[in-house]
Amino acid sequence: MVFDPLTIVMIVILAALVFFMFRNSRKRRREQDETRSKMVPGAEVMTNFGLYGTLLSVDEDDNTALIETSPGHVVKVHRQVLARVVEPKVAEPAAATEGDVAAAPGVELNQDHAIAADADATTPEYGERVDEAKKRKSDD
């Protein structure tokens, strides 16, 4: 039996798809096992719907978990909505770059945003409403 080249190519593509499907499922299972091993009482967790809290307990038989969102407030959720464990981030000292507003010369920081140092007091900020009578007086 002789196969034409198109049949051989189709069989190779099918084999590649099956290979990648099994590879991805193993990878996903490994990530789930790793996440499950981190889900211990006391861990900071996030649910699929964005609720953050401290994991109090996980009931494997009931498929539920108890999460304390704030002191005294406990939420009971399905175990599968626990999306990930929130890792504490280590604060790194921020180095000033060319794009930083604080590093730019001639710019001072206001509590809301940066204002150029040479801007006069009559120049309205972006989005600020200007009284027309005051504007005419300042132009004179």
Side-chain angles (χ1 to χ4, degrees):
M1 173 174 9
V2 178
F3 292 108
D4 62 279
L6 183 61
T7 305
I8 294 172
V9 169
M10 295 298 284
I11 291 173
V12 168
I13 290 175
L14 180 64
L17 286 173
V18 169
F19 170 75
F20 284 116
M21 189 172 58
F22 281 117
R23 185 175 150 228
N24 285 341
S25 76
R26 267 189 269 130
K27 184 178 178 182
R28 199 173 316 119
R29 188 176 307 121
R30 191 177 328 119
E31 288 173 354
Q32 286 175 349
D33 291 342
E34 182 180 315
T35 303
R36 242 185 240 126
S37 69
K38 292 180 182 178
M39 298 272 182
V40 295
E44 289 290 318
V45 294
M46 183 186 85
T47 61
N48 287 338
F49 48 90
L51 183 70
Y52 288 87
T54 305
L55 186 64
L56 296 178
S57 67
V58 178
D59 186 4
E60 299 288 333
D61 298 331
D62 232 9
N63 278 335
T64 59
L66 295 177
I67 302 172
E68 184 177 34
T69 56
S70 62
H73 293 116
V74 178
V75 179
K76 184 177 183 179
V77 295
H78 195 277
R79 189 174 57 115
Q80 289 181 346
V81 301
L82 298 175
R84 65 183 175 102
V85 175
V86 179
E87 301 290 334
K89 293 184 179 180
V90 178
E92 296 179 13
T97 61
E98 291 180 24
D100 285 346
V101 175
V107 174
E108 62 185 44
L109 290 179
N110 186 341
Q111 66 179 350
D112 295 333
H113 53 279
I115 300 174
D118 60 348
D120 61 1
T122 60
T123 305
E125 294 181 25
Y126 180 76
E128 180 182 8
R129 294 188 183 260
V130 180
D131 187 19
E132 293 297 325
K134 289 181 183 177
K135 185 177 177 183
R136 281 190 225 117
K137 287 181 186 176
S138 65
D139 290 341
D140 293 337

